[in-house]
Amino acid sequence: MLQTLRTYFSADFDWIPDLETPHNYPQLAGKLLLRDEVPLNDTNLMSALSENVLTKIPALEHHFWGFCCRRCGNKEQHLFANMPHAACENDCIYCRSCIQMGRTTDCEPLYFGSPNVKWPRVENPCAWKGELTFSQQKAADEIRDLVQLGKGEKLIWAVCGAGKTEMLFPGLAEAFSSGKRVCLATPRTDVVRELLPRLKAAFPNVEMEALYGDSPDKKGAAQFLIATTHQLLRFAHAFDVMIIDEIDAFPFHQDPALHYASKRAAKIESSLIYLTATPRKAQHKRIRNKTLPVVFIPKRFHGYPLPVPKLNLTPSLYRHLKRGKIPPSLLEKIKMQQQSHRQLLIFVPSVKQADLLAEYLSQWKLKVASVHAEDPKRAEKVIDFRNKQYPILVTTTILERGVTFPSVDVYVVDAGHSVFDEAALVQIAGRAGRSPDDPYGEVIFFHAGKTNTLLNARESVVKMNRLGEKL
């Protein structure tokens, strides 16, 4: 009985007070913060509370069936625990679900900042002078119309390399010229880093900020925020336009707290835009039920088809990987590939295999680097690869989406591993052939036996190409 009640999702965010008092504290606007995150001393904090710039909210809500965390929406009782608390000298309940963002307890409140800030109206905000294709323009027009309307939602279903970022530009221009606040959220830190310089170049007069785990600036006070979806746990009713990029990506699609946070971060009346190349079952169901408006773009911006993955059976793959090596046939393939002008992205299922493979290839006088989520030099290595300091980069799935390299081939080693689901394989294949100057990159899935996932991923790419031809 209790389990049926313990759902993260609720359309009711009535606990957020309706604060109409305008203020000039953009660093607090729409924020949901712990006391040590509020950038005010005690005197200024009391002043902000008295002026309704801030209001206190209990961090944990107590119901007859248990606790609910008001930051992440967690209602799973096994994710709450007791701890001695120095401030009140009692054992206090805290939420373990969002503890990476700081501890929420039943004895300390959250501070909610009024979102009622007057953001500037930027005249002619977009400096991008490129041209959109017919399909891109259709999507861009619908996004702009949604932003003008100020409410509703829309899914942009576009293949890898369709130019989804550029499709957003007319809608973003409409938002900033109307004095609206925008958040573009994505599950991956690398995508945030990739998007920030592109968007700064396109909107040079709009104040924007990147928010992610180790970002240098954590104010969150800009009119335009590019953030990881985890950062949305610190916002409520903050944004007039909410864009969720790569809604099918891990961890967003598997984490109900992130769905809860992204919904709550948008204002009650707001424009919600979702971007994906590989919708999940939940989106397909809503599309079929006609509850989610969709724009479908099955063709890349440069007009060339997606590279179709080749399935390469490698029977001795597991035996060699266990010894930190790869089969001689794969090694020779990599050596031959290096005679071309293209760089090579090699995807592997784990951090250990990434490091072992890079070490093994370096023994054969190949210039190679490995990168993964815990790598402290992760950002620098990606930049170095983009600048062609390394011809080969071995990576985990952190680079499966949202990053663009102009001329690469893509190999997936042990492509039948469970970490590579259909969406991941399609996205990985989409790293190749993205440049109009080199649209024919090679994609090879090396496997020890065909799986339905491998076959479905390949068929998905073939299907998109067929639909693209009809355009």
Side-chain angles (χ1 to χ4, degrees), residues 185-203:
T186 180
R188 304 291 178 87
T189 296
D190 297 278
V191 180
V192 175
R193 292 193 183 108
E194 175 101 358
L195 287 173
L196 183 63
R198 293 172 62 189
L199 291 168
K200 278 188 172 181
F203 297 93

Side-chain angles (χ1 to χ4, degrees), residues 1-8 65 75-78:
M1 176 63 179
L2 289 181
Q3 192 64 30
T4 62
L5 295 172
R6 292 169 187 165
T7 173
Y8 282 80
W65 42 261
K75 297 180 182 180
E76 297 286 349
Q77 297 307 294
H78 70 277

Side-chain angles (χ1 to χ4, degrees), residues 135-146 153-160 162-168 242-248 272-279 283 287 292-298 427 464:
S135 297
Q136 285 178 314
Q137 189 64 58
K138 181 178 183 297
D141 291 343
E142 295 204 28
I143 292 170
R144 185 188 58 228
D145 291 346
L146 185 66
E153 57 183 350
K154 192 172 292 289
L155 173 68
I156 308 301
W157 178 2
V159 297
C160 300
K164 291 187 286 293
T165 303
E166 287 74 17
M167 295 176 208
L168 296 173
M242 173 63 72
I243 304 165
I244 307 293
D245 190 16
E246 308 289 3
I247 58 169
D248 62 293
L272 303 173
I273 300 157
Y274 313 117
L275 308 176
T276 184
T278 47
Q283 289 88 45
I287 292 169
L292 179 61
V294 61
V295 179
F296 180 54
I297 304 171
Q427 290 283 356
M464 284 295 184

Side-chain angles (χ1 to χ4, degrees), residues 292-311:
L292 179 61
V294 61
V295 179
F296 180 54
I297 304 171
K299 200 167 189 177
R300 288 183 153 183
F301 78 95
H302 53 51
Y304 292 91
L306 296 158
V308 177
K310 301 174 184 176
L311 305 185

Side-chain angles (χ1 to χ4, degrees), residues 71-137:
R71 181 170 64 186
C72 71
N74 170 40
K75 297 180 182 180
E76 297 286 349
Q77 297 307 294
H78 70 277
L79 293 177
F80 291 96
N82 285 307
M83 60 157 280
H85 198 280
C88 64
E89 299 181 351
N90 291 317
D91 283 353
C92 298
I93 304 294
Y94 71 96
C95 176
R96 295 191 294 120
S97 177
C98 57
I99 195 170
Q100 75 275 15
M101 309 293 289
R103 186 179 278 114
T104 55
T105 69
D106 62 342
C107 66
E108 289 188 289
L110 290 168
Y111 294 84
F112 173 65
S114 166
N116 193 12
V117 168
K118 188 174 182 181
W119 301 98
R121 294 173 179 262
V122 184
E123 188 175 350
N124 299 319
C126 187
W128 185 69
K129 302 301 181 184
E131 294 185 7
L132 299 175
T133 65
F134 176 82
S135 297
Q136 285 178 314
Q137 189 64 58

Side-chain angles (χ1 to χ4, degrees), residues 111-368:
Y111 294 84
F112 173 65
S114 166
N116 193 12
V117 168
K118 188 174 182 181
W119 301 98
R121 294 173 179 262
V122 184
E123 188 175 350
N124 299 319
C126 187
W128 185 69
K129 302 301 181 184
E131 294 185 7
L132 299 175
T133 65
F134 176 82
S135 297
Q136 285 178 314
Q137 189 64 58
K138 181 178 183 297
D141 291 343
E142 295 204 28
I143 292 170
R144 185 188 58 228
D145 291 346
L146 185 66
V147 173
Q148 286 178 336
L149 183 62
K151 59 182 179 179
E153 57 183 350
K154 192 172 292 289
L155 173 68
I156 308 301
W157 178 2
V159 297
C160 300
K164 291 187 286 293
T165 303
E166 287 74 17
M167 295 176 208
L168 296 173
F169 288 173
L172 291 173
E174 171 65 27
F176 300 134
S177 62
S178 303
K180 294 184 176 183
R181 193 181 193 194
V182 180
C183 178
L184 196 168
T186 180
R188 304 291 178 87
T189 296
D190 297 278
V191 180
V192 175
R193 292 193 183 108
E194 175 101 358
L195 287 173
L196 183 63
R198 293 172 62 189
L199 291 168
K200 278 188 172 181
F203 297 93
N205 296 321
V206 176
E207 184 183 7
M208 69 181 70
E209 183 182 339
L211 288 178
Y212 50 90
D214 54 353
S215 56
D217 192 350
K218 291 284 200 308
K219 291 179 185 176
Q223 184 174 5
F224 186 19
L225 295 183
I226 303 102
T228 55
T229 47
H230 275 92
Q231 295 299 320
L232 298 181
L233 289 166
R234 291 195 176 99
F235 290 90
H237 290 199
F239 303 105
D240 302 285
V241 179
M242 173 63 72
I243 304 165
I244 307 293
D245 190 16
E246 308 289 3
I247 58 169
D248 62 293
F250 176 85
F252 183 78
H253 84 95
Q254 291 181 330
D255 192 338
L258 298 181
H259 287 260
Y260 176 91
S262 65
K263 186 175 181 180
R264 185 190 60 202
K267 292 183 178 179
I268 294 175
E269 285 206 348
S270 56
S271 304
L272 303 173
I273 300 157
Y274 313 117
L275 308 176
T276 184
T278 47
R280 299 281 179 171
K281 290 181 180 179
Q283 289 88 45
H284 281 294
K285 182 178 180 180
R286 290 193 62 195
I287 292 169
R288 288 194 303 270
N289 295 340
K290 298 183 178 180
T291 60
L292 179 61
V294 61
V295 179
F296 180 54
I297 304 171
K299 200 167 189 177
R300 288 183 153 183
F301 78 95
H302 53 51
Y304 292 91
L306 296 158
V308 177
K310 301 174 184 176
L311 305 185
N312 190 307
L313 178 62
T314 313
S316 63
L317 185 62
Y318 292 155
R319 177 161 50 87
H320 283 85
L321 289 177
K322 286 180 180 179
R323 295 183 296 172
K325 301 179 179 181
I326 54 176
S329 59
L330 176 51
L331 178 61
E332 289 305 312
K333 180 68 177 174
I334 292 172
K335 289 179 178 179
M336 288 178 61
Q337 190 279 340
Q338 287 297 285
Q339 297 175 17
S340 72
H341 66 283
R342 295 189 183 99
Q343 293 175 280
L344 178 62
L345 267 176
I346 303 178
F347 287 84
V348 294
S350 69
V351 171
K352 181 180 179 180
Q353 287 186 357
D355 290 339
L356 287 175
L357 181 53
E359 182 180 354
Y360 178 71
L361 292 177
S362 65
Q363 294 173 9
W364 294 90
K365 310 302 181 184
L366 295 170
K367 192 172 182 182
V368 58

